[in-house]
Amino acid sequence: MSGIRSRYSFVLITIMVCAVLFVFGEVAEAADWPTRPVEFVISAGAGGGADKYARFLVGLNVKNKYIDEVIIPVNKPGGAGAVAMQYLLTQKGNGHMMLITLNSFVTTPLFQKLPFTFRDFTPVFLLALDNFPLWVQKDSKFKTFEDFLSEARKRSILVGGTGSKQEDEIVFRAIEKIGKTKPFKYVPFKGGGAVAKALVGGHIEASVNQVSEAGPFYPEFVRPLVVFQDERLDVKGYEDTPTAKELGFDFSYNMMRGIFAPPGISKSEQAGLVALFKDISKDPDWLAFAAKTGLQPTSITGDDLMKFVENYEKKHITIMKAQGWLK
Amino acid sequence: METLANLLVGFGVAFQPLSLFMMTVGLLLGLAVGVLPGLGGTAGVALLLPVTVLVPPEVGIIFLAAIYWGALYGGVITSILFAIPGEPWSVALIFDGYPMAKQGKAGLALAAAFVSSFVGIMVAAVFFVTLAMPLALFALKFGPPEMFAIMMLAFSTFVGLGTGGALKTLISTSFGLLLTMAGLDVVTGSPRLTFGTMAFLSGFHFVPVTIGLFGLGEIMIDGEERLSIEIKEVIHAKLGWEDIKGGIMATKEHFGLTLLSALMGFFVGILPGTGATPASFLGYGIAKQYSKNPEKYGKGAIEGILAPQAAANAAGTGALLPMISLGIPGSPTAAVLLAGLYMWGLWPGPRLFLEEPVFVWGLIASLFLSGTACLIICLIGTPVLASIMRIPWGLLTPVIVIACFIGSYVMRNLMFDVWCTLVFGGLGYVMKKLKYPLAPLAVALVLGAMTERFLRQSLIIGDGSFGIFFTRPISAIFMVVALFLFALPAFKLIKDKMKSKDEEAPA
Amino acid sequence: MKKGEIITAGLFILVALIGIMDASRLGFGWEADGPQAGFSVFWLALLLLVCAVLLVVINLKKTDPGDRFFENKEGLAEVVRIFFTAILLAIGIVYTGVYFATIGYCLLFVRWLGKHRWATVIIFTIIMTGAVYFGMEKGLKLPLPKSLLWRKGLFPI
């Protein structure tokens, strides 16, 4: 009787010891990072463009526990990203914080003449490059990109996009310049959703929404004419959408979906952040989402990321100078 | 018939034990979030969105939607009790709800708000079931010019609102509009009224400003009255089922108005990018315009609770319709829910209805269930809520002040917003004492930014000419009605003058 | 009341002038595709200016000073106390974080303005701070501003 009991207690104790070791082992392993919840700063309000991505990524961590601490999304909207960037700079050395960035990460400091640039931040990861197809209504008279261009040379076409002097307008102004068209009548909207809705409703003639925004309405309401990137979209249903370069129109532009951290964080904190996003970049749900929305998944980190963004800055300076937005 | 079968499938989903459990949890969370100023339903849904990956999508959306309904109901509580808008769309509830609470009729005001919320949600739910697709397609016809016309209509219904004379009303309105212009200009991208500071770059958000103007301002008024006026024995309204019965009776008595507001609200809600807030103001404005004795408004008229609340909840529900049927978010909350769809591997868009019937109809069925469940929870809670007013002043006030500040902060995580609440609290107190009408200021603050955006978008489309508002049929109709309402006080004035002259003549 | 009216109107005049100044920097004309950035700012500021100036004129012409702004001294003192403690709370949030500020504010307000017994004051402060911490930080996972000690990793709030 007692033999059985002692055997049971032996097993029980073994299990408990193992559990304790396991728990503490885990803690010991993860001791350097993170030690508290990680703040995920979003430069848009709840429901805005970058917000959707950020919350999606947070959901992946809830599901698969890439890090043991929670990731807390914190919205800091305003000033086309300036407010969020400024906030990160005040949190120098805080390794439990990261920012999801768009191209405004490069353009906002330039255009608004802010006292900082992207170089002040710690690079973490470039998750993906997002696309800019040119969309028109389903029954639009523009059948091809050439149709669109030749009409645009005759009259000012009414187009729309997110914000002013940000990504969408940059694309249209570049088309203007390269295609030698008349200036577009550009209507700024508050967000990608509003732009897509205006296009579906016929209030504008064309937009450069991402596939993740306008895709749900293709083919019922809208269709893509061309995509402004080096390779065709690797998405079912978009195989026949040509790239601009194929049509002899030398313009390629992408949206960076990147992650940056405040300045002055420790090497181990930076490594922890990079490891987190390395895991996320291999997540099957993320890859499925990327495949559906035509994102090109990337995994650029560290100095390579800085170089990548520097190239982006050069490109933007050229475009913005040509527009007279920069002197 | 097919609709009915689908709805039955939906109820099958919604009545699953897990769904019912998550729904109840969601409703209670939503009520809590709604009560806290600054933390809206949008924030609540966004906060809990990542957690829903742990349950099946159809349960996840029922949970999130329940948070949203809870917030729609819960936002009114602090508006009525403390003049602090728990949600943007409950700002209009302050105008008459707070006076009622001061008269000792807090319980009745709350009950009326809850019952009219229920009417709003049910009206919207019925439309959801029957006409989702055609309505969503119709809403697409509303571009910037149409939206601007609707904004004008909302402003026009507020002409002559409140006391204080024309001069002070104009000051209130133009000051409110001016405030909304700070920040990055949406059309040119250049910073306006920021003076090179980072703080002003975020602009004034109306939530911290209204929390200050009304909430903090009222606290100071209260503090002063407490000492200077001999406090009349606070009318201890019978806490109990009387109020609930009264709320139901009031809704019954004004059922036409409530229903009309709900219909109007639902329609405004499905329009893109507006959400429930303009709808609640329109509801209030229309109720006042058609009232036989508009002078009651602002002093505790029960219609001033029923109409905006029915409109707000119908609009809040309606805002989900374009998202579900077309994949277009009608409000920020809908946009957050849309992010949820991606997370669950669903693809929003016109095909969602066909490809994921269980998901869509489960959500629609949960509308009916959540709306009813929330009404019951709230009505049971009404006596308890009304008795909050009995907490001693010295304990209740710090709770309110701290809630005001934290609520302002969490909205955008900016300390600037806390300072706004403080400064506008002082201003609100002074303006109230000098009898400046605050309602036009609130309306201007809430609708100003939207209105300017729609105006300037329209002008780009229309090559800088105002003709665009009158050449498009839908916007032309709204504009004409709005202009008529703007001119109405002038007509009245002339008529009154003529009358008084007639009367003088024989003498 | 008369003085109060004029001072408040003066405040609005100031706001209006600032608005007009910024509008002239932005340009308030009409371009081919609509108004310039300062257009709405300028006209609204002008409207505000005109109304506020009219209000000042009307009040200056008034001979009757009207009711007093504050009916008695106690009322004024109480309003000042409420506003002053609120300012302290806001400053406290900036320098010591929400939690320490809440503790300080509750102690101050409930004792000084509320005139409750110390036992009530302390129990109330504990409940209030705990409710904010567990409700926001733990329950809803909303990070609120915290103290310097927290930034240094020395203290949980």
Side-chain angles (χ1 to χ4, degrees):
Chain A
M1 214 37 193
S2 74
I4 293 172
R5 191 179 263 178
S6 67
R7 203 182 298 157
Y8 269 123
S9 30
F10 173 75
V11 172
L12 214 73
I13 290 169
T14 316
I15 290 174
M16 276 167 69
V17 168
C18 283
V20 167
L21 277 179
F22 181 72
V23 168
F24 279 90
E26 281 270 306
V27 170
E29 204 179 67
D32 26 350
W33 194 89
T35 51
R36 53 185 162 92
V38 180
E39 249 183 75
F40 199 174
V41 182
I42 305 159
S43 56
D51 185 70
K52 274 193 269 184
Y53 282 87
R55 289 187 198 275
F56 181 79
L57 300 177
V58 173
L60 296 180
N61 190 53
V62 172
K63 209 174 186 176
N64 301 314
K65 290 270 165 225
Y66 293 122
I67 55 171
D68 294 330
E69 290 283 351
V70 289
I71 303 175
I72 304 175
V74 177
N75 299 90
K76 295 262 182 192
V83 174
M85 287 158 83
Q86 168 77 20
Y87 173 65
L88 245 73
L89 289 178
T90 64
Q91 298 280 320
K92 203 170 176 174
N94 184 348
H96 291 81
M97 180 173 285
M98 53 200 183
L99 172 73
I100 187 160
T101 62
L102 311 171
N103 290 3
S104 59
F105 191 53
V106 174
T107 55
T108 297
L110 281 177
F111 177 61
Q112 291 186 36
K113 300 183 193 78
L114 298 174
F116 53 80
T117 69
F118 66 88
R119 292 176 189 81
D120 295 317
F121 297 85
T122 308
V124 177
F125 207 87
L126 185 66
L127 266 176
L129 289 174
D130 214 338
N131 43 50
F132 286 94
L134 180 71
W135 300 91
V136 294
Q137 276 114 343
K138 185 188 168 205
D139 43 8
S140 161
K141 60 183 168 186
F142 308 127
K143 296 289 173 228
T144 63
F145 184 46
E146 284 89 346
D147 290 351
F148 180 82
L149 279 178
S150 62
E151 178 94 3
R153 288 184 189 118
K154 284 181 215 136
R155 69 178 172 98
S156 287
I157 291 179
L158 184 64
V159 299
T162 303
S164 177
K165 301 192 171 71
Q166 292 174 39
E167 295 86 358
D168 290 9
E169 188 172 5
I170 287 174
V171 172
F172 278 114
R173 299 303 173 205
I175 298 175
E176 228 170 79
K177 195 94 192 155
I178 299 167
K180 298 192 178 58
T181 69
K182 291 214 162 144
F184 290 109
K185 272 203 275 178
Y186 177 84
V187 186
F189 288 87
K190 213 183 168 188
V195 181
K197 186 252 140 211
L199 181 69
V200 173
H203 305 290
I204 50 175
E205 292 177 79
S207 80
V208 285
N209 278 110
Q210 264 101 45
V211 173
S212 58
E213 292 160 354
F217 316 112
Y218 169 60
E220 281 87 351
F221 297 103
V222 298
R223 58 193 158 81
L225 290 181
V226 63
V227 59
F228 299 104
Q229 61 182 25
D230 294 337
E231 272 147 52
R232 285 194 179 200
L233 288 164
D234 186 19
V235 186
K236 217 175 124 234
Y238 293 77
E239 299 88 351
D240 298 331
T241 307
T243 68
K245 283 201 174 135
E246 283 174 43
L247 302 173
F249 190 89
D250 188 19
F251 178 63
S252 162
Y253 190 79
N254 286 99
M255 175 82 98
M256 297 187 296
R257 303 260 175 219
I259 309 291
F260 280 74
I265 67 170
S266 74
K267 280 273 168 279
S268 66
E269 286 165 339
Q270 189 182 0
L273 280 165
V274 170
L276 165 64
F277 282 96
K278 231 174 211 136
D279 287 340
I280 286 179
S281 72
K282 289 181 210 130
D283 186 291
D285 283 334
W286 165 251
L287 290 172
F289 176 75
K292 235 173 178 175
T293 56
L295 286 171
Q296 301 169 36
T298 53
S299 53
I300 303 173
T301 61
D303 291 342
D304 292 342
L305 177 52
M306 269 322 202
K307 262 185 218 130
F308 186 91
V309 183
E310 254 159 47
N311 277 331
Y312 247 67
E313 191 188 36
K314 271 186 212 138
K315 194 170 179 174
H316 278 101
I317 289 178
T318 323
I319 299 173
M320 289 167 87
K321 273 201 176 140
Q323 276 311 311
W325 294 344
L326 275 184
K327 276 169 200 117
Chain B
M1 256 311 87
E2 200 195 330
T3 313
L4 218 60
N6 281 328
L7 195 59
L8 279 178
V9 173
F11 273 111
V13 175
F15 269 117
Q16 282 169 10
L18 181 64
S19 308
L20 284 176
F21 173 72
M22 291 300 278
M23 192 172 85
T24 318
V25 174
L27 286 175
L28 292 173
L29 271 171
L31 282 168
V33 162
V35 165
L36 240 143
L39 251 197
T42 311
V45 172
L47 282 171
L48 291 151
L49 178 66
V51 184
T52 53
V53 293
L54 304 172
V55 292
E58 61 271 17
V59 179
I61 188 115
I62 289 176
F63 172 64
L64 292 179
I67 296 175
Y68 184 48
W69 311 139
L72 279 174
Y73 274 93
V76 305
I77 296 169
T78 45
S79 288
I80 291 175
L81 296 184
F82 314 121
I84 297 170
E87 296 277 340
W89 51 75
S90 38
V91 173
L93 267 289
I94 297 175
F95 304 159
D96 279 284
Y98 186 66
M100 276 186 80
K102 271 196 149 177
Q103 294 157 17
K105 291 190 279 188
L108 178 62
L110 284 172
F114 294 142
V115 177
S116 57
S117 295
F118 175 75
V119 175
I121 288 191
M122 287 304 133
V123 166
V126 169
F127 274 102
F128 236 106
V129 173
T130 47
L131 287 167
M133 212 44 151
L135 276 175
L137 288 173
F138 180 66
L140 281 177
K141 291 204 166 48
F142 283 68
E146 286 77 17
M147 296 309 296
F148 177 74
I150 287 191
M151 292 296 131
M152 282 296 107
L153 194 64
F155 275 109
S156 69
T157 58
F158 271 76
V159 170
L161 183 85
T163 49
L167 217 48
K168 282 183 175 168
T169 308
L170 276 174
I171 290 181
S172 263
T173 315
S174 55
F175 177 62
L177 288 172
L178 211 51
L179 282 179
T180 64
M181 315 234 148
L184 276 196
D185 173 29
V186 68
V187 173
T188 61
S190 32
R192 292 194 297 186
L193 302 173
T194 61
F195 318 106
T197 59
M198 194 56 69
F200 279 63
L201 204 53
S202 336
F204 294 95
H205 196 282
F206 68 86
V207 168
V209 177
T210 42
I211 289 178
L213 278 177
F214 291 97
L216 209 55
E218 282 299 339
I219 284 174
M220 284 188 266
I221 298 253
D222 254 13
E224 190 184 357
E225 284 179 355
R226 196 174 67 95
L227 294 180
S228 56
I229 299 175
E230 216 177 302
I231 304 181
K232 284 173 243 152
E233 190 56 34
V234 177
I235 313 147
H236 278 304
K238 253 191 233 128
L239 298 180
W241 311 110
E242 281 306 305
D243 286 337
I244 294 165
K245 228 169 103 189
I248 296 170
M249 291 312 287
T251 315
K252 228 171 163 183
E253 193 186 330
H254 303 283
F255 192 69
L257 174 73
T258 314
L259 197 66
L260 190 77
S261 300
L263 285 172
M264 183 279 305
F266 176 75
F267 200 76
V268 173
I270 62 172
L271 301 177
T274 49
T277 315
S280 75
F281 282 132
L282 257 173
Y284 187 86
I286 289 176
K288 187 185 144 273
Q289 283 288 343
Y290 288 99
S291 169
K292 282 186 198 86
N293 27 5
E295 66 282 352
K296 271 193 328 191
Y297 282 74
K299 292 172 195 145
I302 200 149
E303 299 96 311
I305 290 176
L306 297 171
Q309 187 57 15
N313 277 27
T317 314
L320 297 187
L321 189 138
M323 180 198 88
I324 291 295
S325 51
L326 295 174
I328 295 172
S331 71
T333 314
V336 177
L337 288 174
L338 208 61
L341 295 187
Y342 292 130
M343 225 157 65
W344 301 315
L346 298 176
W347 200 226
R351 275 151 292 173
L352 193 68
F353 248 104
L354 302 173
E355 288 169 5
E356 305 285 345
V358 173
F359 176 84
V360 173
W361 288 99
L363 171 67
I364 295 176
S366 86
L367 281 181
F368 291 96
L369 276 183
S370 308
T372 316
C374 207
L375 176 72
I376 294 167
I377 295 175
C378 286
L379 286 182
I380 291 174
T382 302
V384 184
L385 289 170
S387 65
I388 291 177
M389 299 294 273
R390 289 183 173 182
I391 296 175
W393 178 87
L395 294 179
L396 189 56
T397 311
V399 176
I400 301 174
V401 173
I402 290 170
C404 279
F405 279 20
I406 292 178
S408 303
Y409 180 82
V410 294
M411 177 92 207
R412 298 191 298 179
N413 303 292
L414 292 173
M415 198 57 211
F416 174 69
D417 286 346
V418 177
W419 293 114
C420 271
T421 301
L422 188 64
V423 170
F424 283 95
L427 188 69
Y429 167 76
V430 173
M431 288 177 76
K432 185 119 201 209
K433 286 230 59 172
L434 296 176
K435 299 206 166 54
Y436 278 88
L438 290 179
L441 178 53
V443 181
L445 271 171
V446 176
L447 303 184
M450 255 188 253
T451 311
E452 199 205 6
R453 191 168 68 238
F454 291 135
L455 169 66
R456 294 178 58 195
Q457 286 171 344
S458 308
L459 287 173
I460 295 177
I461 296 173
D463 293 314
S465 149
F466 280 98
I468 186 164
F469 298 113
F470 299 96
T471 50
R472 300 170 51 131
I474 301 174
S475 80
I477 293 169
F478 284 123
M479 281 304 264
V480 168
V481 176
L483 289 178
F484 173 73
L485 287 178
F486 274 124
L488 209 57
F491 286 141
K492 261 188 195 152
L493 210 71
I494 295 168
K495 216 172 108 189
D496 287 350
K497 277 224 170 115
M498 301 259 264
K499 227 185 211 166
S500 60
K501 262 187 197 159
D502 286 349
E503 278 160 14
E504 276 165 30
Chain C
M1 276 303 185
K2 194 175 140 181
K3 242 190 232 160
E5 289 278 8
I6 293 173
I7 294 172
T8 313
L11 208 75
F12 286 122
I13 291 176
L14 192 74
V15 172
L17 288 177
I18 293 173
I20 289 173
M21 229 170 62
D22 207 52
S24 46
R25 175 184 66 86
L26 291 160
F28 49 84
W30 198 271
E31 285 178 335
D33 58 349
Q36 284 177 307
F39 180 82
S40 341
V41 178
F42 177 79
W43 289 103
L44 284 168
L46 197 66
L47 178 67
L48 182 61
L49 184 70
V50 170
C51 292
V53 167
L54 274 176
L55 204 61
V56 170
V57 171
I58 290 172
N59 274 290
L60 281 177
K61 276 189 181 164
K62 258 191 209 159
T63 43
D64 163 37
D67 303 334
R68 294 182 60 85
F69 190 88
F70 294 101
E71 279 170 36
N72 54 37
K73 275 217 176 105
E74 282 123 80
L76 167 74
E78 187 78 355
V79 170
V80 170
R81 276 196 289 266
I82 295 171
F83 199 63
F84 174 69
T85 48
I87 293 174
L88 286 185
L89 175 61
I91 294 175
I93 292 174
V94 175
Y95 290 100
T96 66
V98 163
Y99 299 101
F100 286 112
T102 302
I103 294 171
Y105 180 75
C106 289
L107 290 177
L108 187 68
F109 196 102
V110 180
R111 181 69 201 172
W112 188 35
L113 281 101
K115 299 192 174 63
H116 285 276
R117 286 181 301 138
W118 271 112
T120 319
V121 173
I122 288 165
I123 292 170
F124 175 81
T125 306
I126 292 170
I127 292 176
M128 190 65 204
T129 316
V132 174
Y133 182 72
F134 288 104
M136 305 300 282
E137 210 82 27
K138 293 285 152 198
L140 291 170
K141 303 248 183 286
L142 282 169
L144 295 172
K146 291 180 207 64
S147 66
L148 210 67
L149 289 173
W150 172 82
R151 272 203 202 171
K152 296 232 184 321
L154 297 173
F155 205 70
I157 48 177

